[in-house]
Amino acid sequence: MKKYCFDTSGISNPLESMPEDIHESLWTGFKAKVLESGIVAVTQEIFTEMEHIPGSVGQCIKDNKDNILLEVGEDWDWGTYIDHCNNMEDQHKDSISEFIGGTKKTVGLTDISIIALAKTLKLPVVSMESPVTSQSKKLHIPDVCKLQSVDHLTFSEFCRKEGLKF
């Protein structure tokens, strides 16, 4: 049963600040409880990014592709997912990187995809992005989550919720 949708930053940023050679028990537990158990859902776009995560965590992601990747056309509500993607692209077009010159300081279509998946599955998104603090056209994942009534968690909040203490 899926419980969380992960953005790449939900794994890559904590892995950078808590490398697996130093925080071995954290990442061993994360791989077993999270990636191998099938509680994480990602889109193809996110999975493609996650394939570049190094080390045993990255390898575990690749090895568990069938456990975490929800592909369009498979047995889940992908039609609603597509509708959510299209609606969010329309609603937030003035803030989506690919539509406003490719700036990395705002959400991109890959970010929209994971939020749309979370909205479809009624699950929270785990990312390490912070909300935008200024009034601008820029949005980050937590901002779009809030606008779409999707819960957002940081990696630490996720670990607390799952009781992951290593």
Side-chain angles (χ1 to χ4, degrees):
M1 177 177 85
K2 304 295 182 201
K3 293 173 67 177
Y4 304 94
C5 293
F6 266 75
D7 175 55
T8 306
S9 69
I11 298 174
S12 63
N13 291 25
L15 194 54
E16 277 184 31
S17 61
M18 298 178 287
E20 61 182 306
D21 64 326
I22 297 172
H23 300 275
E24 186 176 336
S25 62
L26 166 67
W27 294 108
T28 299
F30 178 82
K31 290 182 293 186
K33 183 165 184 167
V34 179
L35 298 174
E36 295 169 5
S37 71
I39 65 171
V40 170
V42 299
T43 63
Q44 179 62 57
E45 295 84 0
I46 296 294
F47 185 81
T48 298
E49 288 181 355
M50 286 184 172
E51 287 184 298
H52 299 285
I53 292 174
S56 69
V57 175
Q59 189 59 53
C60 187
I61 289 167
K62 292 174 199 164
D63 292 346
N64 286 282
K65 178 178 182 178
D66 292 341
N67 289 344
I68 64 175
L69 175 60
L70 293 183
E71 294 192 75
V72 170
E74 291 182 344
D75 187 24
W76 62 285
D77 190 8
W78 58 268
T80 299
Y81 161 75
I82 296 291
D83 290 342
H84 286 320
C85 279
N86 291 334
N87 290 335
M88 283 189 226
E89 285 178 24
D90 289 342
Q91 290 171 16
H92 306 297
K93 67 179 172 247
D94 292 339
S95 298
I96 296 175
S97 176
E98 289 85 347
F99 301 154
I100 60 169
T103 177
K104 294 186 183 238
K105 296 182 179 184
T106 189
V107 292
L109 291 172
T110 301
D111 300 325
I112 296 297
S113 79
I114 199 62
I115 299 165
L117 181 63
K119 186 170 183 163
T120 301
L121 301 176
K122 297 175 179 51
L123 299 175
V125 172
V126 179
S127 88
M128 291 304 291
E129 290 191 12
S130 299
V132 174
T133 55
S134 63
Q135 298 289 1
S136 72
K137 288 187 176 186
K138 295 175 186 166
L139 295 174
H140 292 167
I141 290 174
D143 304 307
V144 178
C145 284
K146 185 175 181 180
L147 293 168
Q148 295 295 322
S149 300
V150 171
D151 289 337
H152 178 268
L153 302 172
T154 64
F155 185 77
S156 293
E157 291 167 332
F158 159 77
C159 287
R160 283 187 189 105
K161 192 168 183 165
E162 280 299 307
L164 293 174
K165 296 179 182 182
F166 302 100

